[in-house]
Amino acid sequence: MKAIVFNQHGGPEVLKFSDAPDPKIRPNEVLVRVKACALNHLDLWVRRGIPGVPIPLPHIPGSDISGEIAQVGAEVSTVRVGQKVVLAPLVSCGKCSACMAGLDNHCRQATNLGYMIDGGCAEFVRAPEVNCLPYPENLSFEEAASIPLVFQTAWHMLLARAELQPGEDVLVLGAGSGVGSAAIQIAKFFGARVIATAGTDEKLQKAKQLGADYLINHKTQKIRDEVRRITNKRGVDVVFEHVGTATWDDSLASLAAGGRLVTCGATTGYDAKVDLRFLFTRQLSLLGSYMGTKSELQTVMKLVAAGKLKPIVDRVFPLAEAAAAHAYLESSSQFGKVVLKV
Ligand SMILES: [Zn+2]
């Protein structure tokens, strides 16, 4: 098959469009003919190399996959050949106590398609049967591939971790990112008031179309000052973080007393400071979040099929141009998802 493969870590130029062996499925797996694979920041980290994470080389990246089932293993009973499918990105052991509890994102053996195992930047990918999600028929393959990772992550952050309540104020950083555009929609769906930040007015207008109530241009305005002004000096109940070093101080300073900061990433760096006096006197909560559970993703897919949540596709590249797509994602000029069409 044709695939995007890298043999060493580095810049986008290490991604080669080349021949790779067809994946061989196990009895509990399906083979998917990939139609689209959406990119995430995780793809950039995996390509650059992560200290202490020995990614097997050569490697095929790509976590967010839609396509058609081409082959099923002997034990597969819930899906059939020819069926359209979206894949849940998180592959867990399915046997440990965390998996038994439905907390597959706590599984110590869990990884993502395209992370420690081969992913979907290829004509075919193999995945466990349990990772097959119902296909939302109202969506193109490019749109469908844009849902899983960011919507699952944003859902888990806002609901499972930050326990968002109707009427609360939420600050969503980086509205132009995939996870930010998902967070705005989820927060609005649950009746929150949303303040969104982005680096250009064009992105802010798109955030407004998704439902953001207030907009902050972080290039020309100071986030904490604007949040204080908008909330009449109170601050927000929830800060949705994924930016890291560049926004951390503003994020903490934007919290109301009793506020919760939830984070899933650190695209600008992972060094951050916390003034402990501020943390305890204001009774703040700092919450880490990683991916989400398969059952949360099942719920997300229902809401997508019902038109309540919408994937935002910024730009589609052919699979062979994966390097250009990575460079484009690295430039942060997108609003929503960058997708490879296979
Ligand atoms: Zn497990």
Side-chain angles (χ1 to χ4, degrees), residues 92-100 103-104 106-110:
S92 65
C93 81
K95 297 169 185 175
C96 70
S97 61
C99 284
M100 288 298 117
L103 300 170
D104 41 317
H106 286 245
C107 173
R108 291 181 65 189
Q109 291 182 49

Side-chain angles (χ1 to χ4, degrees), residues 151-217:
F151 272 95
Q152 175 180 42
T153 300
W155 184 280
H156 191 70
M157 288 171 75
L158 289 172
L159 301 171
R161 302 295 286 139
E163 299 180 27
L164 181 67
Q165 301 297 314
E168 287 194 319
D169 288 341
V170 182
L171 173 65
V172 176
L173 296 168
S177 63
V179 80
S181 58
I184 293 171
Q185 295 182 60
I186 294 167
K188 287 307 294 181
F189 181 76
F190 282 92
R193 189 167 73 148
V194 173
I195 305 171
T197 79
T200 70
D201 289 338
E202 194 192 346
K203 286 187 186 180
L204 288 171
Q205 284 314 309
K206 289 182 181 169
K208 192 174 183 181
Q209 287 163 19
L210 289 180
D213 301 282
Y214 295 92
L215 310 169
I216 299 175
N217 184 325

Side-chain angles (χ1 to χ4, degrees), residues 201-249:
D201 289 338
E202 194 192 346
K203 286 187 186 180
L204 288 171
Q205 284 314 309
K206 289 182 181 169
K208 192 174 183 181
Q209 287 163 19
L210 289 180
D213 301 282
Y214 295 92
L215 310 169
I216 299 175
N217 184 325
H218 65 241
K219 291 257 168 73
T220 59
Q221 295 173 301
K222 190 136 182 65
I223 293 173
R224 69 181 79 179
D225 295 344
E226 289 303 305
V227 167
R228 277 173 64 81
R229 186 182 61 76
I230 293 163
T231 60
N232 200 16
K233 295 186 183 169
R234 179 179 171 270
V236 295
D237 302 288
V238 174
V239 174
F240 183 92
E241 245 293 345
H242 52 102
V243 182
T245 305
T247 52
W248 183 260
D249 291 346

